[in-house]
Amino acid sequence: MKEIKKNILYSKETIEKRVNELAETISRDYEGREIVFVCVLKGAFIFLADLTRQLKVPHVVDFVRLASYGSGTVSSGKITITKDIETSIEGRDVVIVEDIIDTGITMDFLKDRLKKSNPNSLKICALLDKEERREVKVDVDYVGFTIEDKFIVGYGLDFDEKFRCLPDIYVIDE
Ligand code: IMP
Ligand code: MG
């Protein structure tokens, strides 16, 4: 098997610091309210775990899993839900937690879908944002790091299901 070369982009200390800052900001923005976090599986599970454990406002968590047809590492545009949320979000304050936003197609789909359930508010929190790759406009309310167009692994993100549990974030070498 061909060896996959990767270079560190953000150390676990850098990630921890940034996640704590995001938790501070979100805690301030949602003071006196309760958040429903909708975590996009699988990639965002580690980010969600660290973010919520630093949060100072009440919250519940739920999970959604999406599949995009005919793709390896890039969204094809046709998205389906393979695991829906189980929490009623009507009239509630919802924050989607995503690992990375690339073309924006996945997030655009999920946002539209959740909006149909009439939440009181709906925001997006993404650890990483490949802004320059955007094909569909998506307003990301909370961003950990804006990055270049590189393939990322670690801290929940995978390449072919590998590298998810690395504590640091890496760029795969082409
Ligand atoms: P989008 O619909 O193009 O925005 O794709 C978003 C999804 O593609 C993310 O939730 C990831 O699952 C996956 N993805 C995009 N870029 C990367 C990457 O660099 N590493 C790992 N997964 C990625
Ligand atoms: Mg994902």
Side-chain angles (χ1 to χ4, degrees):
M1 201 177 83
K2 198 168 142 256
E3 200 205 330
I4 296 163
K5 288 209 183 73
K6 52 190 185 346
N7 294 308
I8 197 153
L9 181 63
Y10 299 116
S11 68
K12 60 176 188 291
E13 292 78 16
T14 304
I15 301 166
E16 187 185 356
K17 189 166 167 282
R18 188 68 193 115
V19 172
N20 292 351
E21 286 169 2
L22 287 173
E24 280 289 326
T25 308
I26 295 171
S27 298
R28 236 182 292 121
D29 290 357
Y30 287 85
E31 217 183 310
R33 292 191 279 166
E34 184 189 59
I35 302 172
V36 180
F37 285 108
V38 173
C39 172
V40 185
L41 293 173
K42 301 178 188 174
F45 80 112
I46 290 177
F47 177 39
L48 175 85
D50 284 349
L51 183 74
T52 52
R53 285 182 295 174
Q54 296 301 323
L55 219 74
K56 298 185 177 76
V57 290
H59 58 274
V60 298
V61 299
D62 204 342
F63 299 87
V64 69
R65 180 135 165 79
L66 307 163
S68 116
Y69 275 116
S71 67
T73 56
V74 176
S75 292
S76 61
K78 176 132 174 51
I79 316 274
T80 55
I81 295 192
T82 57
K83 187 237 167 286
D84 209 341
I85 53 167
E86 292 157 28
T87 310
S88 166
I89 59 166
E90 189 175 344
R92 304 181 74 177
D93 295 305
V94 177
V95 177
I96 299 171
V97 178
E98 175 64 303
D99 53 359
I100 187 163
I101 303 187
D102 187 25
T103 61
I105 293 170
T106 306
M107 206 33 62
D108 184 57
F109 170 89
L110 182 60
K111 216 178 165 185
D112 267 12
R113 169 73 193 244
L114 295 179
K115 263 188 196 156
K116 292 198 172 90
S117 300
N118 297 315
N120 178 55
S121 66
L122 180 58
K123 286 193 178 180
I124 298 172
C125 175
L127 179 68
L128 301 163
D129 185 3
K130 289 191 206 172
E131 220 174 33
E132 67 185 75
R133 290 258 312 155
R134 208 68 98 247
E135 288 174 24
V136 181
K137 188 179 174 295
V138 199
D139 292 319
V140 191
D141 304 278
Y142 305 102
V143 178
F145 306 97
T146 299
I147 58 167
E148 287 174 40
D149 181 14
K150 296 273 165 60
F151 199 80
I152 305 301
V153 295
Y155 198 73
L157 292 102
D158 75 305
F159 173 65
D160 213 6
E161 291 302 321
K162 287 188 283 285
F163 311 121
R164 280 196 204 280
C165 291
L166 296 175
D168 309 289
I169 289 176
Y170 294 83
V171 170
I172 297 270
D173 260 1
E174 273 133 54

